[in-house]
Amino acid sequence: MAQRDIIRTQAIVLRGMDYSETSRIVTLFTREQGKVSVMAKGARRTKSSYGSTLQPMAYTQVVYYYKPTRTLQMLSESSHVRAFHDLNRRLDKIKIGLRIVELVDALMEEEDPQPAVFAVTLKALDALDRADERIDNLWPFVQLRIARVLGVAPAIDRDNVEAVTDEGGILSLANGGVYPQSARPSHARRASRAALRAFAILARADLDVILRMDLDRQTRARVHQLVAEYMQFQFESAYPTRSRDVISQMKGGEGEW
Amino acid sequence: MQFTSESVEALVEQFTKLPTIGRKTAQRLVNFVLKMPREEVEEIARALIAVKDQVQRCSTCFVVADRDPCPICSSEKRDRSTICVVEESSDLLAIERTGEYRGLYHVLGGVISPLDGVGPDDLRIRELARRVDPSFADSEAANVSAADAREAAESGEAGPPEVGDEPHAGDGAPAPDDADGADGAGEDEEAEVEEVILAVNPNVEGDTTAYYISQLLEPMGVPVTRIARGLPIGGDLEYADEATLSRALEGRGAV
């Protein structure tokens, strides 16, 4: 790569922090270069041309000056590719969206292109923006889909899932497999048949199926817990929990995760 | 490179503790201080100490003030039926400068920011709820008990002990500097609150905070409004981004 390039690419805004009087340092997840941090000078001015394009979860087209010797690139332009209008109008959607971008931020390395993760993230945010119901299903779906892209997909075996009885079954945190009670996989977590079937569906099914899947409150809570445990087991301390802790303070609204 | 004088070096170190001040700027500031008359340096030193000794937070609205209650909360001329909620004291000053608002304020001390780990319990949101409805404290206690019972029931399915060990930052942890104000908040409110205006910044954190407060206050039956978002005066419609323009259209008013 040349000493100094002008990069034009699509990006999802992961997070930002104020810098000096009017600037912001923004972490972008770009389609071409992976995670990149940029300096957006004057981004906090009322009349800044960046407008709302540098808010977390925004899907933008950015232009920045890239210099391989520095860790903070200079942003030149940013404009919405598609504005997620509805995503920012509902608290339940914001909560899920922020958890998604927090997860991507935590699991992605700087300047490591991951187009498949970019596609999953974009698809999830787009679905979150458009969907009206069952949006809670999106969060475990995105986690398991990113796990798959990063090489730790749950090893779901259809016969084993079918063999789980009403007495419940087991999820192995080691490989994400679902097993009947009689099995003895490592790092086992017991759960109900409904929760394990939901886990298997979330790991394998397409997004439109996920958004049609009805789960009762208890099953949903348990599936969220199982997925979180699986992700924590696979990614250890890289799995982020900061926004989860804040969202747990905000419970009483919609959703219980 | 270090200065040859230890006291100069110490002052450079102290200046670098201030936001946006790096070592070079700190050195420039120290050089300026060295050239200043002694009286002016003493004035600065006295002002710094006075800020820590004399300034306190109003126990009602939590604005930075020299006395408690602050001049705004104790003023007879203020409309006590309206509370404008702002993030910081500096936002209050910005609204006061307009001369358009005559109600009371409530300073949250920040905004909810899940990505930064800042939640409702780190802000003065409960104090706001108590100002709007003094009976909030009782209902809050009842809700906490019910939620605890529900969680205990739901966690019955969890097998291993570590499952239930997930931390909950909100469990009974009030903001450290809230203790003084929390008890008194609401007691001085004479008129019933008829409107809560949310004047938080138009960003994701501001939206999150606004929606959360709106949901929290909804059962109290008090109208919650938010200051308009959209185009700045002198701005150019052509260069506005879609989200800003969309909000501007949404918040349009009669000419």
Side-chain angles (χ1 to χ4, degrees):
Chain A
M1 187 167 281
Q3 205 56 25
R4 185 184 167 107
D5 283 342
I6 296 174
I7 307 285
R8 179 184 293 270
T9 181
Q10 291 186 352
I12 293 164
V13 179
L14 300 180
R15 58 178 295 141
M17 62 179 282
D18 292 345
Y19 181 80
S20 74
E21 287 291 308
T22 58
S23 301
R24 261 177 95 73
I25 294 172
V26 182
T27 306
L28 303 169
F29 184 43
T30 66
R31 195 187 284 272
E32 290 174 19
Q33 277 200 313
K35 197 166 83 170
V36 176
S37 294
V38 296
M39 170 71 78
K41 290 201 168 182
R44 288 156 63 206
R45 287 186 201 278
T46 318
K47 294 178 188 173
S48 164
S49 63
Y50 295 125
S52 64
T53 64
L54 299 180
Q55 290 299 304
M57 303 178 287
Y59 173 36
T60 72
Q61 172 87 34
V62 293
V63 177
Y64 56 89
Y65 299 106
Y66 177 78
K67 210 173 174 184
T69 51
R70 65 184 176 204
T71 54
L72 192 61
Q73 311 301 334
M74 295 301 293
L75 187 67
S76 163
E77 291 174 28
S78 176
S79 56
H80 285 292
V81 176
R82 191 169 104 68
F84 296 135
H85 294 299
D86 203 47
L87 202 164
N88 289 304
R89 285 195 174 94
R90 278 175 50 181
L91 184 56
D92 54 346
K93 291 189 173 190
I94 292 175
K95 287 178 189 174
I96 297 170
L98 289 178
R99 292 217 67 179
I100 291 172
V101 293
E102 184 191 38
L103 180 72
V104 173
D105 187 24
L107 297 186
M108 295 296 104
E109 298 286 340
E110 293 274 343
E111 295 183 31
D112 175 23
Q114 290 281 359
V117 177
F118 185 91
V120 169
T121 310
L122 182 58
K123 200 174 175 184
L125 291 175
D126 187 57
L128 195 56
D129 182 55
R130 294 173 193 270
D132 285 324
E133 294 176 317
R134 304 178 195 92
I135 57 170
D136 276 349
N137 294 346
L138 273 168
W139 172 230
F141 167 80
V142 170
Q143 292 180 84
L144 294 178
R145 207 42 61 102
I146 287 177
R148 181 200 280 188
V149 172
L150 297 180
V152 286
I156 303 292
D157 180 271
R158 191 187 176 93
D159 292 339
N160 278 338
V161 177
E162 294 296 332
V164 175
T165 63
D166 287 341
E167 274 73 53
I170 291 167
L171 172 75
S172 165
L173 298 183
N175 65 4
V178 170
Y179 300 93
Q181 289 272 28
S182 54
R184 290 286 176 270
S186 63
H187 303 92
R189 291 288 181 271
R190 272 196 299 277
S192 68
R193 183 170 185 254
L196 291 171
R197 285 181 68 91
F199 182 95
I201 293 168
L202 286 163
R204 299 291 295 271
D206 289 333
L207 187 55
D208 54 338
V209 175
I210 301 301
L211 288 173
R212 289 201 306 269
M213 185 169 70
D214 272 322
L215 296 174
D216 64 64
R217 188 189 174 99
Q218 197 175 15
T219 304
R220 190 166 63 230
R222 184 59 177 144
V223 170
H224 278 263
Q225 199 174 44
L226 288 173
V227 173
E229 282 192 78
Y230 176 69
M231 295 294 284
Q232 265 170 337
F233 186 88
Q234 298 296 333
F235 297 103
E236 300 176 335
S237 61
Y239 182 72
T241 56
R242 190 183 263 182
S243 67
R244 180 194 68 186
D245 296 342
V246 170
I247 287 165
S248 74
Q249 288 181 30
M250 296 164 73
K251 65 189 170 188
E254 53 301 292
E256 59 278 299
W257 50 274
Chain B
M1 184 191 143
Q2 294 214 329
F3 278 85
T4 47
S5 159
E6 274 184 28
S7 53
V8 168
E9 184 58 33
L11 188 55
V12 169
E13 285 297 315
Q14 295 306 315
F15 277 140
T16 56
K17 290 179 182 172
L18 298 173
T20 75
I21 305 285
R23 195 170 164 82
K24 275 190 178 173
T25 307
Q27 286 170 354
R28 274 197 288 272
L29 289 173
V30 170
N31 282 332
F32 186 76
V33 169
L34 286 170
K35 290 174 191 164
M36 286 170 81
R38 183 181 172 82
E39 301 77 50
E40 282 186 27
V41 176
E42 282 175 349
E43 243 177 81
I44 291 174
R46 273 197 301 273
L48 282 171
I49 298 297
V51 159
K52 293 306 290 179
D53 286 351
Q54 293 166 19
V55 173
Q56 49 187 313
R57 284 199 182 273
C58 171
S59 60
T60 305
C61 71
F62 299 97
V63 71
V64 171
D66 279 339
R67 61 174 198 265
D68 182 16
C70 70
I72 293 174
C73 286
S74 55
S75 169
E76 295 289 322
K77 293 176 183 170
R78 288 282 175 164
D79 172 9
R80 313 191 79 76
S81 66
T82 312
I83 296 177
C84 179
V85 180
V86 294
E87 293 176 23
E88 301 290 354
S89 296
S90 53
D91 298 324
L92 181 153
L93 295 177
I95 293 176
E96 279 297 285
R97 278 200 299 270
T98 66
E100 294 284 327
Y101 178 69
R102 301 302 301 160
L104 302 179
Y105 290 94
H106 189 88
V107 181
L108 292 174
V111 276
I112 297 172
S113 177
L115 295 179
D116 297 313
V118 181
D121 293 352
D122 302 307
L123 308 171
R124 300 184 189 96
I125 291 178
R126 285 179 186 168
E127 287 79 356
L128 170 67
R130 283 184 211 126
R131 282 182 75 181
V132 175
D133 180 1
S135 68
F136 173 75
D138 302 333
S139 59
E140 187 186 29
N143 285 342
V144 168
S145 305
D148 286 348
R150 195 173 64 230
E151 267 185 21
E154 281 181 2
S155 63
E157 191 187 1
E162 61 263 37
V163 171
D165 288 342
E166 290 187 354
H168 291 278
D171 289 351
D177 56 347
D178 285 349
D180 294 340
D183 294 339
E187 290 174 5
D188 298 335
E189 301 295 321
E190 290 143 15
E192 200 168 294
V193 177
E194 291 172 7
E195 183 182 4
V196 173
I197 302 168
L198 301 175
V200 289
N201 285 327
N203 51 32
V204 170
E205 293 82 9
D207 289 346
T208 307
T209 308
Y211 296 139
Y212 178 76
I213 291 177
S214 170
Q215 284 183 3
L216 186 73
L217 301 187
E218 195 179 9
M220 299 174 192
V222 176
V224 179
T225 57
R226 187 172 178 189
I227 57 170
R229 287 157 289 169
L231 298 170
I233 292 173
D236 198 325
L237 199 122
E238 186 185 353
Y239 296 110
D241 69 278
E242 292 90 326
T244 304
L245 206 47
S246 160
R247 292 296 170 109
L249 279 168
E250 196 180 87
R252 70 189 185 278
V255 180

